């Protein structure tokens, strides 16, 4: 968000706090004197849910929170002239009235986390501010972003935010939640972005959103963890525990559950099926493992099990792998599991593209035609993307997966899924920008469930490259 020219709205004074069940509705006046409301929800073992909206609350698209894991806590607030105080899960929330303040303390009375309310550059006469909990509007008064601001202390360490290839401690970094084909593991961009971090001060923060936005871990100001999500509403969870393990375990329960991978997946995998590989190579490799008495669990076939330029149409290259069903049966007779590489894109030279185009199964462009993109960076013909928000398209793709499993595969390497063009249009009406981070979750869910139907949940797994929050439901 470009802050100059934006008007920030954030709580200045609490007018009322209505406690009901496990929730509290906080009614405030903001810094301009206008009404502002947000809600607090309390759940065991030590979770605090914060919801903020500009007009009405809109639930997150593609929610990942397991509602059955939310165990409401009865509220017993205490009010005094200065604040409302509420004990939960061995911690205490303090909501100060005038001026507004919101903090959580542990059992020893130490501040675990606190809203960053006073991060202002005084030289700029208060105009240069890192906005706290609230929202910001553009010049026409239209909401432009929802804000979170948490105090960042000088000795605080921040961990998480997905699969990253930068320093493990994220303090001082700006981390963008945007799935991206990184072409390797070497920088700040990532295949897997998860809007959850753990603080060394004893709390975790999970933003319940798949939108694209930045975590500024002391990057906008050394004093604040700040983030700004698209409007019109915001939902996030603060998770408290006595160790990183406890906080992480509670996050997994909140966005899970986590499925256990099958026992055989923990063994040794051998990868074949690259350019130049053939049935003879695969059989020779399998025999060599037996000869050397090396226990092998999985024989993986990468992209060239299919014909060159025909990815991903699920058709074996019969020239390189003649009688592939017999080959897979022989591998399984050796006690091996079989994995096949796939991806959710189709090059336009395949018969499967023609079939899917006629049925309307692909992501569209603005003109309503299948969106063609160079998703292989010049290595393959143009591609289209299966639209998993279309139930018929998802079922069609699952049929192709089931056919591959019927031939003898046990699992699939679900590659790609992170490079969705932001101006694409999906069947559910959302744009590629809105779908970019969650697309791979829909893709992997379809494949995982197809395997579970065919082989049972005890043997269901995928080998995924890209992902988002909740992907532990479809390991690995």
């Amino acid at each position: 968000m470009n802050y100059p020219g934006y008007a920030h709205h954030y709580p200045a004074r609490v007018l009322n706090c209505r406690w009901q069940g496990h929730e509290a509705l906080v009614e405030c006046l903001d810094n301009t004197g206008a009404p502002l409301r947000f809600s607090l929800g309390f759940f065991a073992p030590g979770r605090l849910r914060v919801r903020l909206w500009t007009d009405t609350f809109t639930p997150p698209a593609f929610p990942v929170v397991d509602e059955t894991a939310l165990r409401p806590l009865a509220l017993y607030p205490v009010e005094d002239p200065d604040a409302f105080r509420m004990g939960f899960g061995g911690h205490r929330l303090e909501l100060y009235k005038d001026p507004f303040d919101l903090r959580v303390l542990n059992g020893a009375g130490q501040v675990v986390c606190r809203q960053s309310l006073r991060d202002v550059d005084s030289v700029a006469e208060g105009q240069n501010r890192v906005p706290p909990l609230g929202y910001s509007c553009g010049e026409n008064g239209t909401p432009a972003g929802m804000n979170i601001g948490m105090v960042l202390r000088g000795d605080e360490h921040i961990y998480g935010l997905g699969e990253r290839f930068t320093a493990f401690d994220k303090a001082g970094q700006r981390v963008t939640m945007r799935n991206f084909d990184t072409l390797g593991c070497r920088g700040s961009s990532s295949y897997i972005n998860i809007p959850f971090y753990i603080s060394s001060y004893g709390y975790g923060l999970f933003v319940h959103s798949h939108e694209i936005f930045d975590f500024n871990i002391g990057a906008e100001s050394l004093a604040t963890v700040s983030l700004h999500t698209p409007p019109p509403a915001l939902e996030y969870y603060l998770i408290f525990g006595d160790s990183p393990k406890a906080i992480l375990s509670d996050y997994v329960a909140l966005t899970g559950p986590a499925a256990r991978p099958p026992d055989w997946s923990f063994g040794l995998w051998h990868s074949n099926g690259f350019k130049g590989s053939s049935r003879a190579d695969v059989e020779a490799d399998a025999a060599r493992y037996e000869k050397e008495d090396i226990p092998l669990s999985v024989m993986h076939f990468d992209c060239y099990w299919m014909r060159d330029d025909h990815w991903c149409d699920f058709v074996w290259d019969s020239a390189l792998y003649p009688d592939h069903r017999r080959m897979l049966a022989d591998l399984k007779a050796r006690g091996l599991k079989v994995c096949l590489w796939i991806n959710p894109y189709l090059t336009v030279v395949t018969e499967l593209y023609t079939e899917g185009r006629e049925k309307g199964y692909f992501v569209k462009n603005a003109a309503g035609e299948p969106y063609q993109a160079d998703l292989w960076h010049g290595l393959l013909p143009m591609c289209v993307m299966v639209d998993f928000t279309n139930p018929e398209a998802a079922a069609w793709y699952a049929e192709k997966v089931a056919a591959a499993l019927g031939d003898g595969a046990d699992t699939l390497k679900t590659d790609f899924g992170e490079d969705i063009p932001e101006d694409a249009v999906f069947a559910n009406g959302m744009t590629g920008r809105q779908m970019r981070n969650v697309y791979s979750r829909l893709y992997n869910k379809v494949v995982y469930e197809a395997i579970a139907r065919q082989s049972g949940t005890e043997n269901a797994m995928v080998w995924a490259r890209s992902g988002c929050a909740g992907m532990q439901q479809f390991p690995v």
Side-chain angles (χ1 to χ4, degrees):
M1 181 180 295
N2 183 17
Y3 283 106
Y6 281 76
H8 305 307
H9 297 264
Y10 48 88
R13 181 161 63 94
V14 176
L15 296 178
N16 195 13
C17 191
R18 303 180 188 274
W19 304 86
Q20 184 174 6
H22 65 283
E23 289 191 293
L25 176 63
V26 184
E27 299 174 341
C28 306
L29 290 180
D30 71 11
N31 52 301
T32 71
L36 185 149
R37 296 187 300 169
F38 65 92
S39 70
L40 304 172
F42 297 83
F43 305 92
R47 301 178 187 146
L48 174 62
R49 183 182 66 197
V50 181
R51 286 176 167 174
L52 173 74
W53 55 93
T54 56
D55 187 13
T56 58
F57 179 75
T58 304
F62 299 100
V64 69
V65 168
D66 180 4
E67 296 292 332
T68 64
L70 292 176
R71 293 180 287 139
L73 286 172
L75 300 183
Y76 302 99
V78 175
E79 181 181 3
D80 60 39
D82 296 325
F84 297 94
R85 306 175 200 275
M86 167 67 197
F88 70 106
H91 289 73
R92 184 174 77 253
L93 176 135
E94 295 184 344
L95 174 63
Y96 286 85
K97 300 177 182 178
D98 191 8
F100 171 86
D101 197 358
L102 181 62
R103 63 186 75 173
V104 175
L105 291 71
N106 61 20
Q110 301 165 322
V111 175
V112 177
C113 65
R114 181 181 182 183
Q115 291 294 317
S116 182
L117 300 168
R118 300 167 183 84
D119 196 346
V120 182
D121 182 355
S122 59
V123 176
E125 297 180 347
Q127 298 302 309
N128 189 8
R129 170 185 290 273
V130 178
L133 174 69
Y135 62 95
S136 298
C137 293
E139 293 181 357
N140 60 0
T142 302
M146 315 300 290
N147 304 315
I148 301 176
M150 306 296 292
V151 168
L152 180 65
R153 288 144 287 204
D155 61 347
E156 192 167 2
H157 307 286
I158 302 293
Y159 307 111
L161 301 177
E163 177 190 66
R164 314 231 74 90
F165 315 114
T166 55
F168 189 59
D169 184 356
K170 299 299 177 280
Q173 298 182 37
R174 173 175 287 113
V175 182
T176 300
M177 297 291 105
R178 181 176 181 268
N179 283 8
F180 187 74
D181 184 352
T182 71
L183 300 178
C185 307
R186 57 192 175 183
S188 59
S189 58
S190 175
Y191 299 108
I192 301 176
N193 292 274
I194 299 185
F196 166 71
Y197 70 75
I198 295 177
S199 163
S200 59
Y201 267 72
Y203 79 94
L205 187 149
F206 168 58
V207 180
H208 192 193
S209 171
H210 298 296
E211 296 273 10
I212 297 172
F213 60 91
D214 292 337
F215 276 82
N216 298 287
I217 316 296
E220 288 184 323
S221 164
L222 293 175
T224 302
V225 177
S226 57
L227 51 147
H228 321 289
T229 68
L234 168 68
E235 177 177 295
Y236 67 96
Y237 289 80
L238 293 168
I239 302 172
F240 302 94
D242 57 7
S243 68
K245 179 180 179 180
I247 296 169
L248 180 58
S249 296
D250 196 42
Y251 162 78
V252 170
L254 181 67
T255 59
R260 176 186 171 184
D263 290 348
W264 52 261
S265 68
F266 292 90
L268 178 63
W269 294 48
H270 178 83
S271 189
N272 243 308
F274 289 94
K275 200 172 187 68
S277 293
S278 66
R279 174 175 175 172
D281 296 323
V282 171
E283 291 172 338
D285 287 341
R288 180 69 185 276
Y289 275 96
E290 284 190 357
K291 178 182 177 182
E292 302 292 347
D293 197 25
I294 299 173
L296 182 65
S297 290
V298 182
M299 181 66 74
H300 169 65
F301 292 80
D302 219 86
C303 42
Y304 284 95
W305 70 271
M306 289 176 281
R307 297 163 294 172
D308 198 1
D309 286 353
H310 284 67
W311 305 338
C312 171
D313 67 353
F314 293 89
V315 177
W316 280 83
D317 187 332
S318 58
L320 291 175
Y321 299 97
D323 195 2
H324 67 274
R325 293 183 184 87
R326 177 60 183 271
M327 174 186 64
L328 298 186
D330 290 346
L331 291 173
K332 296 172 84 67
R334 294 176 182 267
L336 301 179
K337 300 293 185 180
V338 172
C339 176
L340 300 181
W341 174 96
I342 62 170
N343 75 80
Y345 312 147
L346 276 164
T347 56
V348 296
V349 301
T350 63
E351 292 181 2
L352 207 57
Y353 162 72
T354 303
E355 178 185 342
R357 181 190 63 195
E358 292 173 352
K359 295 181 177 180
Y361 288 166
F362 302 130
V363 176
K364 304 288 196 302
N365 58 24
E369 297 294 326
Y371 196 117
Q372 296 189 17
D374 178 16
L375 298 173
W376 281 89
H377 315 287
L379 298 177
L380 290 181
M382 298 292 278
C383 296
V384 294
M385 298 146 280
V386 177
D387 187 347
F388 293 104
T389 71
N390 178 345
E392 292 183 4
W396 174 72
Y397 194 82
E399 289 174 0
K400 309 306 176 185
V401 170
L405 298 171
D407 279 353
D410 297 282
T411 188
L412 298 165
K413 178 181 177 181
T414 45
D415 213 354
F416 289 81
E418 64 282 314
D419 240 3
I420 308 304
E422 295 189 5
D423 60 343
V425 180
F426 281 75
N428 65 353
M430 298 177 73
T431 67
R433 180 177 178 85
Q434 294 169 311
M435 290 295 303
R436 188 177 180 108
N437 289 340
V438 75
Y439 179 86
S440 57
R441 178 168 160 239
L442 305 186
Y443 158 46
N444 279 279
K445 182 176 186 289
V446 166
V447 177
Y448 180 87
E449 291 179 347
I451 298 171
R453 283 192 296 270
Q454 195 124 336
S455 305
T457 55
E458 70 278 5
N459 283 305
M461 68 163 291
V462 293
W463 176 14
R465 181 168 90 175
S466 58
C468 62
M471 285 292 288
Q472 71 271 17
Q473 299 174 35
F474 321 115
V476 293

